[in-house]
Amino acid sequence: MKKIKKQFSHDSLQDANSIKAILKAITTGLGKGKVVLSDDRDEIILEPEGLLNLRVSASQDEDRSSLTLRVSWHADRDASKDRKLVVGEKNN
């Protein structure tokens, strides 16, 4: 039986500590195999399993910076591990 496509989107202004708490909840959910996202309009329940594909991108110009994290997976397919990602402060 084919699953119905469902999408969830949320935009809001948050301070760094609020975003940290949201990211922590997402990582906890990933570790448990169940991520629940909801707001006053919608809800989606994701159940990641197997190998997950991680994409991290960042950009910076004069007055705007952006950091995008994308985690995706296929229920019946494993992706290969390509490169190791290091996140942290640069040592000079």
Side-chain angles (χ1 to χ4, degrees):
M1 179 177 236
K2 191 173 184 178
K3 284 188 174 182
I4 297 172
K5 183 176 181 178
K6 183 164 183 173
Q7 294 183 333
F8 176 87
S9 181
H10 176 87
D11 288 312
S12 63
L13 291 174
Q14 304 278 337
D15 63 22
N17 284 330
S18 296
I19 293 173
K20 179 181 173 182
I22 291 166
L23 291 172
K24 184 175 180 181
I26 291 170
T27 59
T28 298
L30 286 171
K32 292 180 177 181
K34 185 175 184 179
V35 178
V36 179
L37 302 170
S38 65
D39 61 14
D40 56 347
R41 292 190 216 157
D42 204 5
E43 175 181 85
I44 192 166
I45 300 171
L46 304 172
E47 297 178 299
E49 58 184 27
L51 293 176
L52 309 179
N53 184 35
L54 173 65
R55 177 183 291 174
V56 178
S57 59
S59 65
Q60 187 175 44
D61 62 27
E62 290 181 17
D63 62 345
R64 181 181 174 110
S65 298
S66 175
L67 171 64
T68 303
L69 304 171
R70 178 179 171 190
V71 179
S72 61
W73 61 93
H74 295 275
D76 58 353
R77 185 171 64 180
D78 289 335
S80 63
K81 296 182 216 178
D82 290 343
R83 298 178 293 175
K84 182 179 178 183
L85 172 66
V86 177
V87 178
E89 295 182 16
K90 184 176 179 181
N91 294 328
N92 286 337

